[in-house]
Structure formats: structure tokens, C-alpha cells
Amino acid sequence: MLYVEILGNLPSLAESEVKALLELADRRFKIAEEDYLLLAIKGNGRAFPFLDRLGMAHEYGILLFSAESVKELYAKAESIDWGEYIAGTFKVDRETMRNCAHDVENLEKKLGAIIYRQGFRVNLSNPNTLVRVYCGKKLWVGVRIRFFKAKTFDERKADKRPFYKPIALPPRIARAMVNLARARREILDPFMGTGGILIEAGLMGLKVYGVDLRKDMVEGARINLEYFGVKDYVLKQGDATKLIEIFPDKTFEAVATDPPYGSSATLAGRKREELYEKALESIYKILDGYLSIAFPADFNAEKVAEKIGFEVLEKHYQRVHSSLDRYFYVMKT
């Protein structure tokens, strides 16, 4: 078993990102149980390279066991061979979630003492192994494999890029959109702007393709990709409603994009709804796989997409600010 602790700001999107990555790893891997922001997963180490791509998560690790009470937790901790999971020194760290239903005062000290008695040394400042205890409806005990530092995402925010425009997705959400599109080898963003989605995809090792109507955006996205060390890219100036003309002999496995929303964005003189519909038609012609896309909440994306031929699999709501509500959609051809 494995665990993932997801972010709390867009939990449905975060959970769907985990499901998409598990699907890429092995279709038999599933979320077995949810406890607030902790997802217990039926899976094994083959999922690690995919979970390393997560954007909307705090961490993931190996799930050792769960318990219905503190007493049961201690009994299980006494019975397992910690040598299978601890290399070198260790520390026990507790996460008390909002729905914690147990008295966990001093739990980490008592669990640490159990592990210590098996011959392992404690290091509270720089342990080799971090044992994690989550308190929710149940108690969960695991060993952390990867922690996703907020700083690494913050360093890729729009205002930290050499070519900067204020309208851009946060890097964590951009990364999640790539994952929701289930990209294995490559991805296209037909409204790439300054390249935020392409940066995240490129850092995952994917080949990235980008299109934008404006020449300055194409050059700016190129500067940003090079700045973050992304080398495997194809960028073109062109119209997202005419993708088959830009890529006449190419079919894409995945598309992730965030079209312009209106007033402050370039709509090329077209009405917003017209642009969206024509872009969806254009994407459908060059896609054999999944589309991850964001639209304002007042656009009836499901009706338009299904008319074109897409299967709308899911949508996730976000209130951005007082004048913008949007949905993130996952669609399939």
C-alpha cells in the first residue's frame, strides 16, 4: 500500500491527478480509501516514477498500516519488523488533520520509543527515514518517500520567469493539468502564452509542443523554456482554431491548455464562445487521447464538447476571484 497527502485548496482536482497518474503506472492501482486529505492507495513501487510528477500534493510514501485506535496502533507497531522500512536514523512526525478523531498527544514519542527498542537510532534534526502518522477518522502510519517543496513551485511562478505576463496558471495547477491529460511522451498547448504548462511538462521529461497567435509570446515562451532547462520543444506561431494546418501530419496523445478568458486576453477579434468552440473542434481533429482544459464557469463547455464528439469525464470548480469562476475539464476523444 501507498499513501498520498494532497493539497486542500482544490481537493477534487488533486485526487483526480493522483488517479490519472496511477492509471498511467498500472490500471490495477487504485485509491482504496480516503480520509480527509490522505489517500490510501492499492499499489507498489512501480507507481513512484509517476507519483514523482505530482503537482497538487504535499507528499507520498509507503503506507504501513492503519488503526482504529491509538491502542491498536501501538500493538501493530510492536508486531512489525521496522528493519524493512527504516534505513539509518529515523524520526516520527505526526500530522493532525482537521477531522482527527483520536487523542494523539505524545503519540510520536511513544511510537518512536517502540521503534527505538528494535535498535534504531533517533535523529530529530536530519533523519534518514521519516515515519509519518496521520490522524483522521483512522490513524495511518507510513514512511515518506517524497516531499514536494512549495519553494520549488514558487520559483517557477509567472513573476519569476524571465518573460513575464501576470495572467498565468500557478505551476502546481499547470502540472496537474498535464497529468490529467495522461501524457506519457508528449503534450500540446495550443494557447501556450508564456509557456507555464509547457515548463511543467518539460520538467517531467515530456516533449512539448506549443502554439500561440502572438509572435512575442512564442519568443517569450522559448526564453522561459530555455531558462528552466527544457530543451525538447517545438513552438509555432499560429491559430489554435487551425491546428490541423499547423500540424498536418501529427496526432497528439495529450493536450493541456488554458484559453484566454476575455477582456484582458487576446481573442483575435472573435467572440469568446466562438473562439472556444472552434478551438475545441480544432483540438478534436488532432487529438487521439485526453484533453485537460479550463473554461470560465459561464461557458457551457460540456454541451459544446459533447456536440463535437468529446466524452467529458470530469470537471472541477475553482473560484479564482470575484470576477472569475472556472472549471477544469478532462475530456477524451
Side-chain angles (χ1 to χ4, degrees), residues 229-287:
V230 177
K231 303 294 185 183
D232 197 2
Y233 60 81
V234 176
L235 306 183
K236 293 181 179 288
Q237 183 181 358
D239 189 337
T241 67
K242 299 175 181 178
L243 292 172
I244 202 163
E245 296 177 16
I246 302 171
F247 302 103
D249 303 311
K250 176 73 176 164
T251 301
F252 291 90
E253 65 168 3
V255 174
T257 194
D258 182 33
Y261 295 152
S263 56
S264 61
T266 301
L267 299 177
R270 287 170 287 201
K271 291 183 179 179
R272 192 186 66 175
E273 287 71 16
E274 177 192 356
L275 173 64
Y276 292 167
E277 182 167 358
K278 289 188 178 299
L280 282 169
E281 290 172 350
S282 177
I283 292 167
Y284 188 81
K285 291 174 183 176
I286 53 88
L287 176 64

Short mmCIF file of all heavy atoms in Angstrom, two decimals, residues 229-287:
data_model
loop_
_atom_site.label_atom_id
_atom_site.label_comp_id
_atom_site.label_asym_id
_atom_site.label_seq_id
_atom_site.Cartn_x
_atom_site.Cartn_y
_atom_site.Cartn_z
N GLY A 229 15.62 25.05 -18.40
CA GLY A 229 16.35 23.85 -18.83
C GLY A 229 15.56 22.89 -19.69
O GLY A 229 15.97 21.73 -19.86
N VAL A 230 14.44 23.33 -20.24
CA VAL A 230 13.64 22.47 -21.12
C VAL A 230 14.16 22.64 -22.54
O VAL A 230 14.14 23.75 -23.09
CB VAL A 230 12.14 22.83 -21.05
CG1 VAL A 230 11.33 21.97 -22.02
CG2 VAL A 230 11.62 22.68 -19.62
N LYS A 231 14.61 21.54 -23.15
CA LYS A 231 15.25 21.61 -24.46
C LYS A 231 14.43 20.95 -25.57
O LYS A 231 14.59 21.30 -26.75
CB LYS A 231 16.63 20.93 -24.40
CG LYS A 231 17.57 21.51 -23.35
CD LYS A 231 17.97 22.94 -23.69
CE LYS A 231 19.00 23.48 -22.70
NZ LYS A 231 19.35 24.89 -22.97
N ASP A 232 13.59 20.00 -25.22
CA ASP A 232 12.87 19.22 -26.23
C ASP A 232 11.52 19.87 -26.50
O ASP A 232 10.50 19.46 -25.94
CB ASP A 232 12.71 17.77 -25.76
CG ASP A 232 12.35 16.82 -26.89
OD1 ASP A 232 12.27 17.29 -28.05
OD2 ASP A 232 12.14 15.63 -26.62
N TYR A 233 11.51 20.89 -27.34
CA TYR A 233 10.27 21.63 -27.58
C TYR A 233 10.13 22.01 -29.04
O TYR A 233 11.12 22.12 -29.78
CB TYR A 233 10.19 22.88 -26.71
CG TYR A 233 11.30 23.88 -26.93
CD1 TYR A 233 11.25 24.79 -28.00
CD2 TYR A 233 12.39 23.94 -26.06
CE1 TYR A 233 12.27 25.72 -28.20
CE2 TYR A 233 13.41 24.86 -26.26
CZ TYR A 233 13.35 25.74 -27.32
OH TYR A 233 14.35 26.65 -27.52
N VAL A 234 8.88 22.21 -29.45
CA VAL A 234 8.53 22.73 -30.77
C VAL A 234 7.50 23.83 -30.54
O VAL A 234 6.42 23.57 -30.02
CB VAL A 234 7.93 21.65 -31.70
CG1 VAL A 234 7.49 22.26 -33.03
CG2 VAL A 234 8.92 20.51 -31.92
N LEU A 235 7.86 25.06 -30.89
CA LEU A 235 6.96 26.19 -30.70
C LEU A 235 6.63 26.80 -32.05
O LEU A 235 7.51 26.98 -32.89
CB LEU A 235 7.61 27.26 -29.81
CG LEU A 235 8.13 26.81 -28.44
CD1 LEU A 235 8.67 28.02 -27.67
CD2 LEU A 235 7.05 26.10 -27.64
N LYS A 236 5.34 27.12 -32.25
CA LYS A 236 4.90 27.68 -33.53
C LYS A 236 3.96 28.86 -33.30
O LYS A 236 3.13 28.82 -32.39
CB LYS A 236 4.20 26.61 -34.36
CG LYS A 236 5.12 25.48 -34.83
CD LYS A 236 4.38 24.48 -35.67
CE LYS A 236 5.29 23.37 -36.17
NZ LYS A 236 6.22 23.83 -37.22
N GLN A 237 4.11 29.87 -34.14
CA GLN A 237 3.13 30.95 -34.14
C GLN A 237 1.98 30.52 -35.03
O GLN A 237 2.19 30.10 -36.17
CB GLN A 237 3.75 32.24 -34.69
CG GLN A 237 2.78 33.42 -34.65
CD GLN A 237 3.40 34.69 -35.23
OE1 GLN A 237 4.56 34.70 -35.63
NE2 GLN A 237 2.62 35.76 -35.29
N GLY A 238 0.76 30.59 -34.49
CA GLY A 238 -0.38 30.14 -35.27
C GLY A 238 -1.68 30.26 -34.50
O GLY A 238 -1.71 30.69 -33.36
N ASP A 239 -2.74 29.84 -35.17
CA ASP A 239 -4.10 29.97 -34.66
C ASP A 239 -4.57 28.64 -34.08
O ASP A 239 -4.57 27.62 -34.78
CB ASP A 239 -5.01 30.40 -35.83
CG ASP A 239 -6.41 30.79 -35.38
OD1 ASP A 239 -6.84 30.34 -34.30
OD2 ASP A 239 -7.07 31.53 -36.13
N ALA A 240 -4.97 28.65 -32.81
CA ALA A 240 -5.42 27.42 -32.14
C ALA A 240 -6.67 26.83 -32.77
O ALA A 240 -7.00 25.67 -32.53
CB ALA A 240 -5.67 27.70 -30.66
N THR A 241 -7.37 27.60 -33.58
CA THR A 241 -8.56 27.08 -34.26
C THR A 241 -8.22 26.42 -35.59
O THR A 241 -9.10 25.94 -36.30
CB THR A 241 -9.59 28.20 -34.50
OG1 THR A 241 -9.08 29.14 -35.46
CG2 THR A 241 -9.93 28.91 -33.21
N LYS A 242 -6.91 26.38 -35.92
CA LYS A 242 -6.48 25.79 -37.20
C LYS A 242 -5.27 24.87 -36.97
O LYS A 242 -4.29 24.92 -37.71
CB LYS A 242 -6.13 26.91 -38.19
CG LYS A 242 -7.31 27.82 -38.53
CD LYS A 242 -6.89 28.97 -39.43
CE LYS A 242 -8.09 29.88 -39.72
NZ LYS A 242 -7.72 31.04 -40.55
N LEU A 243 -5.36 24.03 -35.98
CA LEU A 243 -4.23 23.20 -35.60
C LEU A 243 -3.85 22.19 -36.66
O LEU A 243 -2.69 21.84 -36.83
CB LEU A 243 -4.53 22.48 -34.27
CG LEU A 243 -4.62 23.38 -33.03
CD1 LEU A 243 -5.11 22.59 -31.84
CD2 LEU A 243 -3.28 24.05 -32.73
N ILE A 244 -4.83 21.70 -37.41
CA ILE A 244 -4.55 20.69 -38.44
C ILE A 244 -3.70 21.29 -39.56
O ILE A 244 -2.99 20.58 -40.26
CB ILE A 244 -5.85 20.06 -38.97
CG1 ILE A 244 -5.54 18.70 -39.60
CG2 ILE A 244 -6.57 20.99 -39.93
CD1 ILE A 244 -6.76 17.82 -39.79
N GLU A 245 -3.77 22.62 -39.72
CA GLU A 245 -2.92 23.29 -40.71
C GLU A 245 -1.51 23.48 -40.16
O GLU A 245 -0.53 23.46 -40.91
CB GLU A 245 -3.52 24.65 -41.08
CG GLU A 245 -4.88 24.55 -41.78
CD GLU A 245 -5.48 25.91 -42.07
OE1 GLU A 245 -4.73 26.92 -42.01
OE2 GLU A 245 -6.69 25.98 -42.35
N ILE A 246 -1.40 23.65 -38.85
CA ILE A 246 -0.08 23.84 -38.22
C ILE A 246 0.65 22.50 -38.10
O ILE A 246 1.87 22.42 -38.29
CB ILE A 246 -0.24 24.48 -36.83
CG1 ILE A 246 -0.96 25.83 -36.95
CG2 ILE A 246 1.11 24.66 -36.14
CD1 ILE A 246 -1.36 26.43 -35.61
N PHE A 247 -0.10 21.43 -37.80
CA PHE A 247 0.47 20.09 -37.66
C PHE A 247 -0.28 19.13 -38.60
O PHE A 247 -1.06 18.28 -38.15
CB PHE A 247 0.34 19.60 -36.22
CG PHE A 247 0.99 20.49 -35.20
CD1 PHE A 247 0.23 21.35 -34.40
CD2 PHE A 247 2.37 20.47 -35.02
CE1 PHE A 247 0.82 22.16 -33.45
CE2 PHE A 247 2.97 21.28 -34.06
CZ PHE A 247 2.21 22.14 -33.29
N PRO A 248 -0.05 19.23 -39.92
CA PRO A 248 -0.86 18.45 -40.88
C PRO A 248 -0.64 16.95 -40.80
O PRO A 248 -1.53 16.18 -41.18
CB PRO A 248 -0.39 19.01 -42.24
CG PRO A 248 0.95 19.59 -41.99
CD PRO A 248 0.91 20.12 -40.59
N ASP A 249 0.51 16.52 -40.31
CA ASP A 249 0.81 15.09 -40.29
C ASP A 249 1.03 14.58 -38.87
O ASP A 249 1.73 13.58 -38.66
CB ASP A 249 2.05 14.80 -41.14
CG ASP A 249 1.90 15.28 -42.57
OD1 ASP A 249 0.86 14.96 -43.18
OD2 ASP A 249 2.81 15.98 -43.05
N LYS A 250 0.43 15.24 -37.89
CA LYS A 250 0.71 14.91 -36.49
C LYS A 250 -0.58 14.67 -35.72
O LYS A 250 -1.55 15.43 -35.84
CB LYS A 250 1.48 16.07 -35.86
CG LYS A 250 1.78 15.95 -34.38
CD LYS A 250 2.84 14.93 -34.11
CE LYS A 250 3.18 14.89 -32.63
NZ LYS A 250 3.93 13.68 -32.27
N THR A 251 -0.61 13.60 -34.94
CA THR A 251 -1.69 13.34 -33.99
C THR A 251 -1.08 13.32 -32.60
O THR A 251 -0.06 12.67 -32.37
CB THR A 251 -2.38 12.01 -34.28
OG1 THR A 251 -2.92 12.04 -35.60
CG2 THR A 251 -3.53 11.76 -33.29
N PHE A 252 -1.72 14.01 -31.66
CA PHE A 252 -1.19 14.13 -30.31
C PHE A 252 -1.90 13.17 -29.35
O PHE A 252 -3.10 12.93 -29.48
CB PHE A 252 -1.34 15.57 -29.81
CG PHE A 252 -0.45 16.55 -30.51
CD1 PHE A 252 -0.87 17.20 -31.65
CD2 PHE A 252 0.84 16.79 -30.03
CE1 PHE A 252 -0.05 18.09 -32.30
CE2 PHE A 252 1.68 17.68 -30.69
CZ PHE A 252 1.24 18.33 -31.82
N GLU A 253 -1.13 12.67 -28.38
CA GLU A 253 -1.69 11.79 -27.36
C GLU A 253 -2.33 12.57 -26.21
O GLU A 253 -3.14 12.03 -25.47
CB GLU A 253 -0.61 10.87 -26.79
CG GLU A 253 0.49 11.62 -26.02
CD GLU A 253 1.39 10.70 -25.22
OE1 GLU A 253 1.22 9.48 -25.30
OE2 GLU A 253 2.27 11.24 -24.50
N ALA A 254 -1.95 13.84 -26.07
CA ALA A 254 -2.44 14.63 -24.94
C ALA A 254 -2.38 16.12 -25.26
O ALA A 254 -1.43 16.58 -25.89
CB ALA A 254 -1.60 14.34 -23.69
N VAL A 255 -3.40 16.84 -24.81
CA VAL A 255 -3.44 18.29 -24.93
C VAL A 255 -3.83 18.86 -23.56
O VAL A 255 -4.78 18.38 -22.93
CB VAL A 255 -4.44 18.77 -25.99
CG1 VAL A 255 -4.57 20.29 -25.99
CG2 VAL A 255 -4.04 18.27 -27.38
N ALA A 256 -3.11 19.87 -23.11
CA ALA A 256 -3.47 20.60 -21.88
C ALA A 256 -3.36 22.08 -22.19
O ALA A 256 -2.33 22.53 -22.72
CB ALA A 256 -2.54 20.22 -20.73
N THR A 257 -4.41 22.83 -21.86
CA THR A 257 -4.38 24.24 -22.23
C THR A 257 -5.33 25.07 -21.38
O THR A 257 -6.31 24.56 -20.82
CB THR A 257 -4.71 24.41 -23.73
OG1 THR A 257 -4.37 25.71 -24.16
CG2 THR A 257 -6.18 24.11 -24.02
N ASP A 258 -5.02 26.37 -21.32
CA ASP A 258 -5.81 27.34 -20.57
C ASP A 258 -6.11 28.51 -21.50
O ASP A 258 -5.33 29.46 -21.57
CB ASP A 258 -4.99 27.80 -19.35
CG ASP A 258 -5.74 28.78 -18.47
OD1 ASP A 258 -6.97 28.67 -18.37
OD2 ASP A 258 -5.08 29.67 -17.88
N PRO A 259 -7.23 28.46 -22.24
CA PRO A 259 -7.52 29.50 -23.23
C PRO A 259 -7.73 30.86 -22.57
O PRO A 259 -8.01 30.95 -21.37
CB PRO A 259 -8.83 29.02 -23.87
CG PRO A 259 -8.94 27.58 -23.53
CD PRO A 259 -8.26 27.42 -22.21
N PRO A 260 -7.61 31.94 -23.35
CA PRO A 260 -7.85 33.28 -22.80
C PRO A 260 -9.31 33.43 -22.36
O PRO A 260 -10.20 32.87 -22.98
CB PRO A 260 -7.52 34.21 -23.97
CG PRO A 260 -7.62 33.37 -25.18
CD PRO A 260 -7.22 31.98 -24.76
N TYR A 261 -9.50 34.18 -21.28
CA TYR A 261 -10.84 34.29 -20.70
C TYR A 261 -11.62 35.51 -21.13
O TYR A 261 -12.79 35.62 -20.85
CB TYR A 261 -10.75 34.29 -19.16
CG TYR A 261 -10.22 33.00 -18.59
CD1 TYR A 261 -9.53 32.99 -17.39
CD2 TYR A 261 -10.39 31.79 -19.25
CE1 TYR A 261 -9.03 31.81 -16.85
CE2 TYR A 261 -9.89 30.61 -18.73
CZ TYR A 261 -9.22 30.63 -17.53
OH TYR A 261 -8.73 29.46 -17.01
N GLY A 262 -10.97 36.48 -21.79
CA GLY A 262 -11.77 37.63 -22.21
C GLY A 262 -11.01 38.93 -22.19
O GLY A 262 -9.89 39.01 -22.65
N SER A 263 -11.61 39.94 -21.62
CA SER A 263 -11.21 41.34 -21.71
C SER A 263 -9.70 41.59 -21.81
O SER A 263 -9.26 42.25 -22.73
CB SER A 263 -11.76 42.12 -20.51
OG SER A 263 -11.33 41.51 -19.31
N SER A 264 -8.93 41.06 -20.89
CA SER A 264 -7.50 41.38 -20.88
C SER A 264 -6.68 40.43 -21.75
O SER A 264 -5.47 40.56 -21.84
CB SER A 264 -6.98 41.34 -19.44
OG SER A 264 -7.14 40.06 -18.90
N ALA A 265 -7.34 39.45 -22.36
CA ALA A 265 -6.62 38.47 -23.16
C ALA A 265 -6.93 38.67 -24.64
O ALA A 265 -7.91 39.30 -25.01
CB ALA A 265 -7.02 37.06 -22.72
N THR A 266 -6.07 38.11 -25.48
CA THR A 266 -6.23 38.25 -26.92
C THR A 266 -7.22 37.23 -27.43
O THR A 266 -7.00 36.03 -27.34
CB THR A 266 -4.87 38.05 -27.62
OG1 THR A 266 -3.97 39.02 -27.13
CG2 THR A 266 -5.01 38.23 -29.12
N LEU A 267 -8.31 37.70 -28.01
CA LEU A 267 -9.32 36.82 -28.59
C LEU A 267 -9.33 36.93 -30.11
O LEU A 267 -10.21 36.40 -30.77
CB LEU A 267 -10.71 37.17 -28.04
CG LEU A 267 -10.87 37.01 -26.52
CD1 LEU A 267 -12.26 37.45 -26.09
CD2 LEU A 267 -10.61 35.58 -26.09
N ALA A 268 -8.34 37.62 -30.67
CA ALA A 268 -8.19 37.74 -32.13
C ALA A 268 -9.45 38.29 -32.78
O ALA A 268 -9.81 37.92 -33.88
CB ALA A 268 -7.82 36.40 -32.74
N GLY A 269 -10.12 39.20 -32.09
CA GLY A 269 -11.29 39.85 -32.67
C GLY A 269 -12.55 39.00 -32.68
O GLY A 269 -13.58 39.41 -33.22
N ARG A 270 -12.50 37.81 -32.08
CA ARG A 270 -13.65 36.92 -32.09
C ARG A 270 -14.38 36.95 -30.76
O ARG A 270 -13.80 37.28 -29.73
CB ARG A 270 -13.22 35.48 -32.40
CG ARG A 270 -12.83 35.26 -33.85
CD ARG A 270 -12.19 33.90 -34.05
NE ARG A 270 -10.84 33.86 -33.48
CZ ARG A 270 -9.93 32.97 -33.85
NH1 ARG A 270 -10.21 32.06 -34.75
NH2 ARG A 270 -8.73 32.98 -33.31
N LYS A 271 -15.64 36.58 -30.79
CA LYS A 271 -16.37 36.41 -29.55
C LYS A 271 -15.78 35.22 -28.80
O LYS A 271 -15.36 34.23 -29.40
CB LYS A 271 -17.85 36.17 -29.84
CG LYS A 271 -18.58 37.39 -30.40
CD LYS A 271 -20.05 37.08 -30.59
CE LYS A 271 -20.79 38.31 -31.12
NZ LYS A 271 -22.24 38.01 -31.35
N ARG A 272 -15.79 35.34 -27.49
CA ARG A 272 -15.17 34.31 -26.66
C ARG A 272 -15.74 32.92 -26.93
O ARG A 272 -15.02 31.95 -27.12
CB ARG A 272 -15.35 34.69 -25.19
CG ARG A 272 -14.51 33.88 -24.23
CD ARG A 272 -14.84 34.21 -22.81
NE ARG A 272 -16.21 33.80 -22.47
CZ ARG A 272 -16.74 33.88 -21.26
NH1 ARG A 272 -16.04 34.43 -20.29
NH2 ARG A 272 -17.96 33.47 -21.02
N GLU A 273 -17.08 32.80 -26.94
CA GLU A 273 -17.72 31.50 -27.13
C GLU A 273 -17.38 30.91 -28.49
O GLU A 273 -17.21 29.69 -28.63
CB GLU A 273 -19.24 31.62 -26.96
CG GLU A 273 -19.71 31.81 -25.52
CD GLU A 273 -19.37 33.17 -24.95
OE1 GLU A 273 -19.04 34.10 -25.73
OE2 GLU A 273 -19.41 33.33 -23.70
N GLU A 274 -17.29 31.78 -29.50
CA GLU A 274 -16.93 31.31 -30.84
C GLU A 274 -15.51 30.76 -30.85
O GLU A 274 -15.24 29.70 -31.44
CB GLU A 274 -17.06 32.46 -31.84
CG GLU A 274 -16.64 32.09 -33.27
CD GLU A 274 -16.50 33.29 -34.18
OE1 GLU A 274 -16.81 34.42 -33.74
OE2 GLU A 274 -16.05 33.10 -35.32
N LEU A 275 -14.59 31.48 -30.20
CA LEU A 275 -13.21 31.02 -30.11
C LEU A 275 -13.12 29.67 -29.43
O LEU A 275 -12.44 28.76 -29.91
CB LEU A 275 -12.37 32.05 -29.35
CG LEU A 275 -10.93 31.62 -29.03
CD1 LEU A 275 -10.12 31.43 -30.32
CD2 LEU A 275 -10.25 32.64 -28.13
N TYR A 276 -13.82 29.52 -28.31
CA TYR A 276 -13.78 28.26 -27.56
C TYR A 276 -14.29 27.09 -28.39
O TYR A 276 -13.69 26.01 -28.42
CB TYR A 276 -14.59 28.38 -26.27
CG TYR A 276 -14.03 29.33 -25.24
CD1 TYR A 276 -14.81 29.73 -24.15
CD2 TYR A 276 -12.74 29.82 -25.32
CE1 TYR A 276 -14.32 30.60 -23.19
CE2 TYR A 276 -12.23 30.69 -24.36
CZ TYR A 276 -13.03 31.08 -23.30
OH TYR A 276 -12.53 31.93 -22.35
N GLU A 277 -15.41 27.29 -29.05
CA GLU A 277 -15.99 26.20 -29.84
C GLU A 277 -15.07 25.81 -30.99
O GLU A 277 -14.83 24.62 -31.23
CB GLU A 277 -17.37 26.60 -30.38
CG GLU A 277 -18.04 25.48 -31.16
CD GLU A 277 -19.51 25.73 -31.44
OE1 GLU A 277 -20.05 26.77 -30.99
OE2 GLU A 277 -20.13 24.86 -32.09
N LYS A 278 -14.54 26.80 -31.70
CA LYS A 278 -13.66 26.49 -32.83
C LYS A 278 -12.35 25.85 -32.36
O LYS A 278 -11.78 24.99 -33.04
CB LYS A 278 -13.39 27.76 -33.64
CG LYS A 278 -14.61 28.24 -34.44
CD LYS A 278 -14.25 29.37 -35.36
CE LYS A 278 -15.46 29.82 -36.19
NZ LYS A 278 -15.98 28.72 -37.04
N ALA A 279 -11.88 26.28 -31.19
CA ALA A 279 -10.66 25.66 -30.64
C ALA A 279 -10.91 24.21 -30.26
O ALA A 279 -10.06 23.34 -30.54
CB ALA A 279 -10.19 26.45 -29.42
N LEU A 280 -12.04 23.92 -29.67
CA LEU A 280 -12.37 22.53 -29.33
C LEU A 280 -12.49 21.68 -30.59
O LEU A 280 -12.01 20.53 -30.61
CB LEU A 280 -13.66 22.48 -28.52
CG LEU A 280 -13.56 22.85 -27.04
CD1 LEU A 280 -14.95 23.02 -26.42
CD2 LEU A 280 -12.76 21.81 -26.26
N GLU A 281 -13.11 22.21 -31.62
CA GLU A 281 -13.21 21.49 -32.89
C GLU A 281 -11.82 21.20 -33.46
O GLU A 281 -11.54 20.11 -33.96
CB GLU A 281 -14.03 22.29 -33.90
CG GLU A 281 -15.51 22.37 -33.57
CD GLU A 281 -16.26 23.33 -34.48
OE1 GLU A 281 -15.59 24.09 -35.24
OE2 GLU A 281 -17.51 23.34 -34.44
N SER A 282 -10.95 22.21 -33.37
CA SER A 282 -9.59 22.09 -33.88
C SER A 282 -8.79 21.05 -33.10
O SER A 282 -8.08 20.22 -33.68
CB SER A 282 -8.91 23.46 -33.80
OG SER A 282 -7.57 23.41 -34.21
N ILE A 283 -8.90 21.08 -31.77
CA ILE A 283 -8.19 20.11 -30.93
C ILE A 283 -8.67 18.69 -31.21
O ILE A 283 -7.87 17.75 -31.31
CB ILE A 283 -8.37 20.46 -29.44
CG1 ILE A 283 -7.64 21.77 -29.10
CG2 ILE A 283 -7.87 19.34 -28.54
CD1 ILE A 283 -8.00 22.37 -27.76
N TYR A 284 -9.97 18.54 -31.38
CA TYR A 284 -10.55 17.21 -31.62
C TYR A 284 -9.94 16.55 -32.86
O TYR A 284 -9.75 15.33 -32.90
CB TYR A 284 -12.06 17.34 -31.77
CG TYR A 284 -12.79 16.01 -31.83
CD1 TYR A 284 -13.08 15.31 -30.66
CD2 TYR A 284 -13.16 15.45 -33.04
CE1 TYR A 284 -13.73 14.09 -30.70
CE2 TYR A 284 -13.82 14.23 -33.09
CZ TYR A 284 -14.11 13.56 -31.92
OH TYR A 284 -14.76 12.34 -31.97
N LYS A 285 -9.63 17.35 -33.87
CA LYS A 285 -9.12 16.81 -35.14
C LYS A 285 -7.69 16.29 -35.03
O LYS A 285 -7.29 15.42 -35.82
CB LYS A 285 -9.18 17.90 -36.22
CG LYS A 285 -10.59 18.27 -36.65
CD LYS A 285 -10.58 19.45 -37.62
CE LYS A 285 -11.99 19.88 -37.99
NZ LYS A 285 -11.98 21.10 -38.86
N ILE A 286 -6.93 16.79 -34.07
CA ILE A 286 -5.51 16.38 -33.99
C ILE A 286 -5.21 15.55 -32.74
O ILE A 286 -4.05 15.22 -32.48
CB ILE A 286 -4.56 17.60 -34.06
CG1 ILE A 286 -4.93 18.68 -33.02
CG2 ILE A 286 -4.62 18.23 -35.44
CD1 ILE A 286 -4.31 18.54 -31.70
N LEU A 287 -6.24 15.23 -31.97
CA LEU A 287 -6.03 14.53 -30.69
C LEU A 287 -6.56 13.11 -30.73
O LEU A 287 -7.68 12.86 -31.19
CB LEU A 287 -6.75 15.30 -29.56
CG LEU A 287 -6.72 14.67 -28.16
CD1 LEU A 287 -5.30 14.60 -27.61
CD2 LEU A 287 -7.62 15.46 -27.19
#
